[in-house]
Amino acid sequence: MATVDKNANDIAAHLPEVRRAVKTQADQIATQARALLAPHRRTGDHRIEVTAGRVDALVSLVGDAALSVEFGRGASSRSGAMQGLYIISRAAGLGHH
């Protein structure tokens, strides 16, 4: 019977090839997100950032109202209702709008 080292995930995650692939995927998502954000510069001083960790990467929409830009806001908001742009969600292929 074959056994799998209980640290196999940790070992694989730290392989240079895997780390490069994760960073490459994050960069591709960021490029797509920047393209989706570009036509919406009225959203203020928002930008797309990639933060790479040791074995992971995070693509973020950064700005004063990033949550509202991404997901929208309801009519009860002082600024009124706004539909979300789903920049990160769409760039990552999560199927929103």
Side-chain angles (χ1 to χ4, degrees), residues 31-84:
T31 297
Q32 179 65 21
R34 288 182 185 111
L36 291 169
L37 180 62
H40 300 282
R41 293 321 261 169
R42 286 188 180 164
T43 57
D45 188 28
H46 291 82
R47 65 192 180 284
I48 304 299
E49 289 185 354
V50 177
T51 307
R54 291 183 58 207
V55 296
D56 61 2
L58 177 66
V59 181
S60 304
L61 174 63
V62 178
D64 290 341
L67 282 174
S68 293
V69 170
E70 182 72 9
F71 300 112
R73 59 179 179 250
S76 61
S77 168
R78 266 191 271 165
S79 303
M82 179 185 90
Q83 183 175 354

Side-chain angles (χ1 to χ4, degrees), residues 1 5-6 8 16 23 33 40 44 47 54 59 84-85:
M1 174 183 228
D5 185 329
K6 67 179 182 175
K23 178 69 167 74
H40 300 282
R47 65 192 180 284
R54 291 183 58 207
V59 181
L85 299 176

Side-chain angles (χ1 to χ4, degrees), residues 24 29 53 79 93 96:
T24 297
I29 292 169
S79 303
H96 285 74

